[in-house]
């Protein structure tokens, strides 16, 4: 079956710290992989995506590389800001459906 | 440009009552989805639709019904509400041609409490 497993939170970091949120997946076929972000009281928004192996998605200083050999898509940012505080979801899409991880809550303190 | 609009934003129901969560999108998207999000959990797919007149069950369909009479609208019906249906519900949509690029657009969510 298809599933996504991501690092449990919550994660608390100081401003300008390095961020890694781990994500691994199980899928049939060749899925596309995504990171979504959810700010308090809002719906999810697409943060970045990668549609094939070795692709790197990037946006707003966040990056993730589609690693087929390790079935991973870890999210990284070199220097987090208070405004990055949110819940981050790893997801995959295959066929007509999207599959989401459980989400990782990030709090960045000044 | 409204995107995906859900109503109501908040609702309290008594056990056994019924209600409909409304979802409308103005982007002419073929694909529409209903998810529920429970505290500390990821999103679980309830139902989805690939076009008007076509619906299919997701991972957790029991206790819910949907219809898709138009491209724009995808209402979710809760029959005989139970406390286990207390959750935040999200409607989302995507264009058929971009289904694998992750451009899934979400509404702001509907928080439902069943007492």
């Amino acid at each position: 079956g298809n599933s996504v497993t991501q690092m449990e939170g919550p994660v608390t970091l100081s401003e300008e710290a390095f961020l890694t949120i781990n994500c691994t997946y199980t899928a049939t076929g060749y899925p596309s992989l995504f990171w979504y972000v959810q700010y308090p009281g809002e719906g999810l928004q697409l943060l970045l995506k990668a549609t094939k192996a070795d692709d790197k998605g990037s946006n707003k200083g966040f990056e993730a590389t589609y690693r087929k050999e390790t079935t991973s898509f870890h999210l990284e940012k070199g220097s987090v800001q208070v405004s990055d505080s949110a819940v981050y979801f790893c997801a995959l899409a295959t066929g007509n459906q999207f599959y989401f991880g459980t989400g990782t809550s990030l709090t960045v303190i000044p | 440009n409204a995107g995906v609009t859900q109503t109501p934003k908040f609702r309290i129901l008594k056990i056994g009552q019924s209600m409909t969560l409304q979802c409308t999108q103005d982007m002419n998207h073929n694909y529409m989805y209903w998810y529920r999000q429970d505290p500390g959990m990821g999103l679980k797919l309830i139902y989805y639709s690939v076009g008007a007149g076509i619906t299919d069950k997701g991972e957790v369909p029991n206790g819910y019904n949907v219809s898709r009479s138009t491209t724009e609208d995808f209402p979710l019906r809760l029959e005989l509400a139970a406390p286990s249906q207390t959750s935040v519900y999200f409607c989302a949509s995507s264009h058929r041609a971009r289904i694998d690029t992750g451009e899934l657009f979400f509404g702001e969510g509907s928080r439902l409490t069943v007492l």
Side-chain angles (χ1 to χ4, degrees):
Chain A
N2 301 303
S3 66
V4 175
T5 302
Q6 66 180 99
M7 179 174 130
E8 290 193 18
V11 175
T12 302
L13 294 174
S14 297
E15 206 164 23
E16 298 184 3
F18 184 85
L19 169 71
T20 300
I21 301 178
N22 290 336
C23 171
T24 57
Y25 68 90
T26 301
T28 55
Y30 303 95
S32 296
L33 301 175
F34 320 101
W35 279 98
Y36 280 81
V37 59
Q38 184 181 30
Y39 298 105
E42 297 183 12
L44 279 71
Q45 305 171 26
L46 179 64
L47 179 61
L48 54 83
K49 63 182 183 281
T51 57
K52 60 183 187 297
D54 300 325
D55 270 2
K56 177 186 281 189
S58 61
N59 186 24
K60 299 180 181 179
F62 291 89
E63 293 184 339
T65 301
Y66 190 144
R67 301 283 188 203
K68 190 169 184 288
E69 63 276 12
T70 55
T71 61
S72 65
F73 192 56
H74 305 320
L75 182 69
E76 296 181 336
K77 187 175 185 182
S79 176
V80 294
Q81 305 301 312
V82 171
S83 58
D84 293 327
S85 297
V87 181
Y88 293 82
F89 291 88
C90 186
L92 69 86
T94 182
N96 296 328
Q97 297 194 28
F98 289 78
Y99 300 84
F100 288 85
T102 55
T104 302
S105 175
L106 170 66
T107 301
V108 180
I109 55 177
Chain B
N1 192 356
V4 179
T5 302
Q6 291 181 233
T7 56
K9 287 189 168 45
F10 303 94
R11 182 75 186 269
I12 298 175
L13 282 181
K14 294 183 179 177
I15 294 172
Q17 287 185 320
S18 300
M19 74 159 295
T20 299
L21 298 176
Q22 301 291 345
C23 176
T24 300
Q25 53 89 11
D26 62 359
M27 297 172 283
N28 200 33
H29 284 169
N30 303 88
Y31 287 55
M32 294 188 75
Y33 303 82
W34 274 106
Y35 290 93
R36 59 177 287 173
Q37 183 182 29
D38 299 323
M41 306 291 286
L43 278 72
K44 300 292 186 184
L45 181 64
I46 304 170
Y47 271 95
Y48 68 100
S49 169
V50 301
I54 305 169
T55 62
D56 213 342
K57 295 178 180 179
E59 188 179 0
V60 290
N62 291 343
Y64 306 94
N65 278 301
V66 293
S67 60
R68 185 92 184 271
S69 56
T70 66
T71 298
E72 296 78 18
D73 300 311
F74 190 43
L76 177 71
R77 177 87 177 157
L78 281 71
E79 305 282 1
L80 299 175
S84 61
Q85 293 178 303
T86 295
S87 190
V88 180
Y89 292 84
F90 287 100
C91 181
S93 72
S94 182
H95 190 276
R96 175 173 52 199
R98 308 191 73 84
I99 190 69
D100 286 338
T101 67
E103 295 189 46
L104 196 57
F105 293 82
F106 282 84
E108 293 183 351
S110 299
R111 184 176 295 276
L112 176 67
T113 302
V114 182
L115 300 175

